[in-house]
C-alpha cells in the first residue's frame, strides 16, 4: 500500500532516477477581504466584532423559522400547536400571500382538525403546489383526529388542481385509518404525476398496506386512461408492520407501476413469502437503483428469489439487506448475482445475516470488478478472526481494502453443531408454515360443508371454486381471469419463465383469447399483458426477435417448418397488440416487422395506423 500512496503524491518508484522537482516558491500572502478585518479570536471561539455566541444562536433560531425561497414556504420545526382557526391565522396568511407556492413544509408541528380545515381552504387556490412535506405534523393528536385532517387537506389539493410530485407523510402514527384519510387523494388527478411517496413509520399495518396498494393501482389505472401513467420513482414505507400480506399487496402495485427507482421498506416483519413477492415485482422495475429491506427475514428462500431478480436488474447502486437473516446459502446466491453484473453497485450491506466463513469470502471475491463500490458491510456475521483477516487480504489484492466496513461486531466462527441446529430450525419453520396453510385450507373447506351450503342456499349463492393461474392458462375464460382477483397480472407474470420465448407467446395468446370489449375484462387483459410483457422485454435474456417470429407463426402470418397450431381467432390478439404497441415497454424497433405482416389483414387497420406512427 506504501508505493501506491506514494505514486498518488507524484513520486516514481521505478529504477530510473526521478527528475529533481523545481524549487518550492513560498506562498504569497493573499489580501485580506474587508469582512476579515473584524474577525478576531475570542475565548475559545471565533467572533465577528462584539457578536457573542448567544447572539449567533439567536440568529440561527431566527433563520430556522419561517423560510421562503425557491417556491417553498416552510414552518418546519417550529412546534406550532394549531388547534383552532385562530391558531392557524398566521400560517393561513402566509400561504395566501405566497405567489407561486410549489412546496409547503409543515414538519415538526401539530395540526388539529379545525386548523387543518382552514389551512385546506387557503390551499384550494394553490394550483402550483408540487411538494407536500407533511411528516411529523400530528404530534400528540388522537388517532381519530388524523383522518379528517388529512381528508380536508387532500380535498383542497384536488380542488386546486394541483399536480403533486412528492408527498411525505412519514412519522405520523395514523395506522390503517389514516391511510383512508389520503386514499381519495392518491386516486385523484392530483397524484397522477406523483414521483415520491414517503410513508415511513406510520403504523399502517397489513390493512393499511392493502388500502395503499389498491389506491396506487387505481391511480395507475386512471392515469393510464388519461395517457400519462403514474410513474412513481421513490417509495418509502419503513417501520409499518406490513408483514407478508401487506408486502405482497404492495408488490402487486409495484409490478403494475414498473417505474420504481428506490424502494425503502426496512423493519416490516416481512418473511420469505413477502420477500419473494417483492423480488418478483422488482424484476418488472428495470430502473431500480436502491433496494433497502433492512431488518426483515429473508432466509434462504427469500434470498435466492431476490438474487434471481438482481440478475435481471442493471441499474442497482445500493443493496441493503442488513439484519435480514440471508444466511450462508442466501449470501452465496446474492454474491453470484453481484459477480454476474451490477457494475454500478456502490453499496452492499449484508451485515448481521448469520453468514459463515466460506460464504463471506465468496461475497468478497464477487466484488472484484465493481469499480464503483464504496462500501461492503459484513459486520456482525459469524466469521472469526482468521476469516476477517482473509477478507482484508482479498480486498487488498483488488486494491479495494478501503470499501470494507468495520468488523468489530463479528460473532466469531460457529461450529458444525450450530450449523446443523440452524438447518433443523429452518426445517421446523417450513413445517409450521405448511401446517398453518393446511389448517387455513381445512377451515375454508369446513365453511363449505354440504350442511352449511344447504342451510345458506336460501340467502347466499354457493361460492365458486377457487381458480389458480395454471387452471386459467389450461382452460382460459374471462370469468376465470376475473376470479383470479386484482393480483392476476402479477401472478401470471411471476409464474411465466420469460427466458422461454415459447412460454411467453403461449401465455400471451391465452390471455388475449379471453379479450372482451367490456370494461372489467378489457382492463384485466391489458394489465396482465402489461405485467407479462414489461417483465419479458426488460429481461436481458429475452430474445425479442424470436418472440415476434414465434408470435407471427402462431397467428398464421408466418410459415414454420414445424406443424404449429394457429389461434382459431385473431380478434383477441389483435386487440391486445393494439394496446401493447402503444406502451413504453414495447420496443419501437419491432413495429416495422409487425407492420409488414399485419398489412395482409384488412381487420387490423387500426393496428397498422398505430404501428406506422
Amino acid at each position: 500500500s506504501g508505493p501506491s500512496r506514494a505514486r498518488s503524491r507524484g513520486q516514481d518508484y521505478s529504477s530510473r532516477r526521478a527528475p529533481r522537482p523545481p524549487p518550492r516558491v513560498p506562498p504569497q500572502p493573499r489580501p485580506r477581504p474587508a469582512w476579515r478585518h473584524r474577525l478576531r479570536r475570542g475565548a475559545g471561539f471565533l467572533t465577528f466584532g462584539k457578536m457573542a455566541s448567544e447572539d449567533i444562536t439567536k440568529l440561527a433560531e431566527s433563520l430556522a423559522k419561517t423560510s421562503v425561497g425557491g417556491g417553498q414556504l416552510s414552518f418546519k420545526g417550529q412546534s406550532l400547536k394549531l388547534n383552532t382557526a385562530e391558531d392557524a391565522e398566521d400560517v393561513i396568511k402566509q400561504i395566501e400571500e405566497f405567489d407561486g407556492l410549489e412546496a409547503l413544509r409543515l414538519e415538526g408541528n401539530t395540526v388539529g382538525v379545525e386548523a387543518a380545515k382552514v389551512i385546506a381552504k387557503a390551499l384550494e387556490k394553490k394550483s402550483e403546489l408540487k411538494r407536500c412535506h407533511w411528516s411529523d405534523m400530528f404530534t400528540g393528536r388522537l388517532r381519530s383526529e388524523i383522518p379528517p385532517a388529512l381528508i380536508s387537506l387532500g380535498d383542497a389539493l384536488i380542488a386546486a388542481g394541483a399536480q403533486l410530485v412528492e408527498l411525505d407523510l412519514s412519522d405520523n402514527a395514523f395506522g390503517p385509518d389514516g391511510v383512508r384519510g389520503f386514499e381519495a387523494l392518491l386516486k385523484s388527478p392530483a397524484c397522477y404525476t406523483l414521483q415520491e411517496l414517503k410513508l415511513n413509520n406510520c403504523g399502517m399495518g397489513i390493512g393499511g398496506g392493502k388500502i395503499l396498494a389498491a389506491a396506487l393501482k387505481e391511480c395507475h389505472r386512471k392515469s393510464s386512461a388519461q395517457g400519462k401513467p403514474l410513474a412513481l420513482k421513490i417509495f418509502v414505507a419503513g417501520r409499518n408492520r406490513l408483514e407478508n400480506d401487506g408486502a405482497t399487496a404492495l408488490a402487486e402495485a409495484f409490478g403494475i407501476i414498473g417505474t420504481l427507482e428506490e424502494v425503502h421498506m426496512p423493519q416490516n416483519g416481512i418473511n420469505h413469502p413477502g420477500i419473494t413477492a417483492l423480488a418478483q415485482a422488482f424484476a418488472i422495475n428495470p430502473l431500480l437503483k436502491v433496494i433497502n429491506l433492512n431488518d426483515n427475514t429473508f432466509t434462504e428462500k427469500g434470498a435466492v428469489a431476490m438474487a434471481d431478480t438482481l440478475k435481471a436488474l442493471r441499474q442497482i447502486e445500493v443493496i441493503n439487506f442488513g439484519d435480514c437473516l440471508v444466511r450462508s446459502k442466501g449470501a452465496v446466491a446474492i454474491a453470484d448475482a453481484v459477480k454476474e453484473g451490477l457494475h454500478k453497485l456502490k453499496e452492499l450491506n449484508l451485515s448481521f445475516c448469520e453468514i459463515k466463513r466460506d460464504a463471506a469470502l465468496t461475497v468478497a471475491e464477487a466484488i472484484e470488478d465493481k469499480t464503483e463500490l464504496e462500501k461492503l458491510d459484513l459486520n456482525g456475521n459469524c466469521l472469526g478472526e482468521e476469516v476477517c483477516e482473509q477478507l482484508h487480504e482479498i480486498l487488498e489484492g483488488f486494491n479495494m481494502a478501503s470499501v470494507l466496513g468495520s468488523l468489530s461486531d463479528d460473532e466469531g466462527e460457529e461450529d458444525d453443531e450450530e450449523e446443523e441446529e440452524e438447518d433443523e430450525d429452518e426445517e421446523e419453520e417450513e413445517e409450521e408454515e405448511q401446517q398453518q396453510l393446511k389448517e387455513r385450507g381445512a377451515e375454508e373447506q369446513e365453511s363449505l360443508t354440504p350442511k352449511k351450503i344447504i342451510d345458506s342456499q336460501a340467502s347466499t349463492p354457493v361460492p365458486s371454486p377457487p381458480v389458480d393461474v395454471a387452471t386459467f392458462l389450461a382452460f382460459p375464460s374471462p370469468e376465470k381471469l376475473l376470479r383470479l382477483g386484482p393480483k392476476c397480472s402479477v401472478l401470471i407474470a411471476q409464474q411465466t419463465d420469460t427466458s422461454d420465448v415459447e412460454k411467453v407467446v403461449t401465455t400471451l395468446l391465452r390471455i388475449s383469447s379471453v379479450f372482451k370489449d367490456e370494461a372489467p375484462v378489457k382492463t384485466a387483459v391489458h394489465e396482465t399483458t402489461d405485467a407479462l410483457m414489461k417483465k419479458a422485454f426488460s429481461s436481458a435474456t429475452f430474445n425479442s426477435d424470436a418472440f415476434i417470429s414465434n408470435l407471427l407463426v402462431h397467428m398464421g402470418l408466418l410459415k414454420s417448418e414445424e406443424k404449429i397450431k394457429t389461434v382459431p381467432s385473431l380478434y383477441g390478439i389483435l386487440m391486445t397488440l393494439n394496446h401493447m404497441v402503444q406502451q413504453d415497454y414495447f420496443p419501437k424497433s419491432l413495429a416495422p416487422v409487425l407492420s409488414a405482416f399485419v398489412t395482409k389483414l384488412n381487420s387490423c387497420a387500426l393496428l397498422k395506423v398505430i404501428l406506422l406512427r
Side-chain angles (χ1 to χ4, degrees):
S1 59
S4 63
R5 291 201 194 98
R7 289 191 192 98
S8 69
R9 291 195 289 268
Q11 297 183 30
D12 187 354
Y13 275 75
S14 65
S15 58
R16 187 177 299 172
R17 184 182 297 276
R20 180 175 295 177
R24 185 177 178 185
V25 179
Q28 298 297 315
R30 286 185 288 183
R32 179 180 293 179
W35 61 267
R36 291 285 299 275
H37 289 294
R38 296 186 65 195
L39 181 64
R40 59 189 176 85
R41 197 167 292 277
F45 55 87
L46 293 175
T47 63
F48 286 80
K50 294 184 179 181
M51 184 178 286
S53 61
E54 55 265 31
D55 297 323
I56 297 173
T57 302
K58 289 179 181 177
L59 175 60
E61 289 174 353
S62 298
L63 291 171
K65 290 184 178 178
T66 307
S67 60
V68 176
Q72 174 175 284
L73 176 60
S74 176
F75 300 92
K76 181 178 179 179
Q78 294 188 29
S79 301
L80 300 175
K81 295 181 179 179
L82 308 178
N83 298 315
T84 64
E86 292 179 359
D87 296 336
E89 282 180 355
D90 184 52
V91 173
I92 295 164
K93 182 181 178 183
Q94 292 191 54
I95 291 173
E96 289 176 340
E97 294 177 353
F98 197 112
D99 292 328
L101 179 63
E102 293 184 6
L104 177 61
R105 307 196 76 105
L106 293 173
E107 310 106 304
N109 299 290
T110 178
V111 181
V113 177
E114 293 304 315
K117 285 181 180 178
V118 291
I119 292 172
K121 194 70 178 174
L123 290 175
E124 287 180 358
K125 298 178 182 178
K126 300 300 175 182
S127 61
E128 296 178 14
L129 187 61
K130 292 180 173 63
R131 299 184 182 274
C132 298
H133 302 280
W134 294 351
S135 64
D136 189 23
M137 67 176 220
F138 296 111
T139 305
R141 298 288 168 187
L142 297 173
R143 276 180 57 171
S144 59
E145 294 181 82
I146 300 175
L150 287 173
I151 290 170
S152 297
L153 294 168
D155 288 349
L157 298 176
I158 297 169
Q163 293 186 317
L164 296 185
V165 173
E166 180 179 359
L167 177 61
D168 186 355
L169 292 170
S170 299
D171 300 315
N172 290 310
F174 45 58
D177 293 339
V179 184
R180 292 285 188 200
F182 61 92
E183 180 185 14
L185 173 63
L186 277 182
K187 294 179 179 179
S188 76
C191 285
Y192 289 178
T193 51
L194 195 64
Q195 295 181 13
E196 302 180 29
L197 179 58
K198 300 174 182 177
L199 299 166
N200 202 56
N201 191 31
C202 291
M204 290 189 290
I206 295 171
K210 289 182 176 181
I211 297 167
L212 175 62
L216 288 172
K217 288 192 287 187
E218 181 70 1
C219 180
H220 186 272
R221 186 186 69 78
K222 288 182 175 179
S223 57
S224 297
Q226 296 294 320
K228 293 183 178 180
L230 171 67
L232 191 66
K233 294 181 179 179
I234 298 175
F235 179 83
V236 181
R239 300 185 65 187
N240 271 292
R241 304 193 310 276
L242 294 170
E243 301 182 15
N244 290 333
D245 290 348
T248 300
L250 285 167
E252 293 169 18
F254 296 161
I256 292 169
I257 293 169
T259 55
L260 288 167
E261 295 181 11
E262 296 185 21
V263 175
H264 303 263
M265 296 174 65
Q267 203 172 344
N268 269 297
I270 308 171
N271 299 325
H272 74 78
I275 296 297
T276 300
L278 288 171
Q280 291 165 338
F282 292 164
I284 316 174
N285 285 264
L287 302 178
L288 264 176
K289 296 179 182 178
V290 178
I291 302 177
N292 176 8
L293 294 174
N294 191 286
D295 198 8
N296 289 291
T297 307
F298 282 41
T299 64
E300 181 188 343
K301 287 184 179 178
V304 169
M306 195 61 70
D308 288 342
T309 285
L310 291 175
K311 291 177 183 178
L313 300 176
R314 295 286 178 269
Q315 307 300 321
I316 289 292
E317 296 178 4
V318 177
I319 298 172
N320 186 345
F321 297 159
D323 203 10
C324 282
L325 204 65
V326 303
R327 293 182 172 146
S328 294
K329 291 179 182 177
V332 170
I334 292 168
D336 288 343
V338 171
K339 190 171 185 176
E340 288 183 20
L342 305 187
H343 296 293
K344 296 184 180 182
L345 188 64
K346 294 181 179 179
E347 181 178 337
L348 175 59
N349 185 347
L350 293 175
S351 60
F352 299 93
C353 282
E354 294 191 6
I355 299 171
K356 309 289 172 43
R357 169 199 172 98
D358 292 340
L361 296 176
T362 301
V363 171
E365 289 165 354
I367 67 168
E368 179 178 3
D369 62 344
K370 303 298 173 279
T371 56
E372 301 292 320
L373 194 70
E374 298 171 2
K375 185 177 180 181
L376 171 63
D377 193 346
L378 290 170
N379 198 20
N381 286 298
C382 312
L383 309 180
E385 187 175 342
E386 182 182 342
V387 177
C388 290
E389 290 177 2
Q390 284 182 278
L391 286 174
H392 281 286
E393 289 172 5
I394 290 171
L395 294 175
E396 281 179 0
F398 301 155
N399 198 24
M400 298 175 70
S402 62
V403 306
L404 184 61
S406 169
L407 296 172
S408 59
D409 293 320
D410 184 64
E411 296 287 342
E413 191 171 3
E414 290 188 2
D415 56 30
D416 294 337
E417 287 184 6
E418 288 175 321
E419 288 191 26
E420 288 175 7
E421 288 176 5
E422 177 186 292
D423 293 337
E424 288 174 4
D425 289 342
E426 282 199 32
E427 289 175 6
E428 287 176 7
E429 287 172 9
E430 290 178 11
E431 286 175 5
E432 286 178 9
E433 286 176 7
Q434 293 297 326
Q435 184 61 32
Q436 287 174 2
L437 289 172
K438 286 179 182 177
E439 289 174 359
R440 191 178 304 169
E443 288 172 5
E444 291 172 357
Q445 186 65 32
E446 184 182 345
S447 67
L448 296 175
T449 55
K451 183 179 184 299
K452 292 191 177 181
I453 291 173
I454 292 167
D455 291 344
S456 62
Q457 273 180 342
S459 56
T460 28
V462 178
S464 302
V467 174
D468 57 18
V469 171
T471 303
F472 166 73
L473 293 176
F475 307 100
S477 72
E479 293 75 19
K480 286 176 185 164
L481 181 62
L482 294 177
R483 274 164 50 199
L484 279 172
K487 61 175 73 173
C488 64
S489 57
V490 176
L491 285 173
I492 292 175
Q494 286 173 354
Q495 296 184 34
T496 304
D497 181 6
T498 52
S499 63
D500 188 331
V501 169
E502 178 66 30
K503 284 184 180 178
V504 175
V505 170
T506 302
T507 303
L508 176 63
L509 291 171
R510 297 286 171 84
I511 296 167
S512 62
S513 69
V514 305
F515 181 89
K516 280 186 178 181
D517 202 16
E518 298 172 2
V521 177
K522 184 177 180 180
T523 300
V525 169
H526 286 174
E527 288 181 353
T528 307
T529 299
D530 289 342
L532 172 67
M533 298 314 303
K534 191 183 294 183
K535 177 185 176 185
F537 285 127
S538 63
S539 171
T541 59
F542 186 68
N543 189 328
S544 300
D545 294 331
F547 164 76
I548 288 294
S549 300
N550 202 308
L551 180 61
L552 291 170
V553 168
H554 281 276
M555 292 174 67
L557 300 179
L558 187 64
K559 290 184 179 180
S560 172
E561 294 179 359
E562 300 176 6
K563 288 186 178 181
I564 293 179
K565 187 177 179 181
T566 58
V567 292
S569 170
L570 289 176
Y571 173 72
I573 186 60
L574 287 176
M575 292 301 101
T576 304
L577 284 172
N578 178 22
H579 169 79
M580 269 177 58
V581 297
Q582 299 177 70
Q583 307 309 308
D584 292 338
Y585 62 75
F586 186 82
K588 303 305 176 191
S589 60
L590 299 181
V593 181
L594 265 182
S595 179
F597 283 91
V598 298
T599 47
K600 299 177 182 179
L601 300 171
N602 293 327
S603 61
C604 52
L606 176 60
L607 181 58
K608 284 190 291 182
V609 171
I610 294 167
L611 286 168
L612 294 171
R613 280 178 184 172

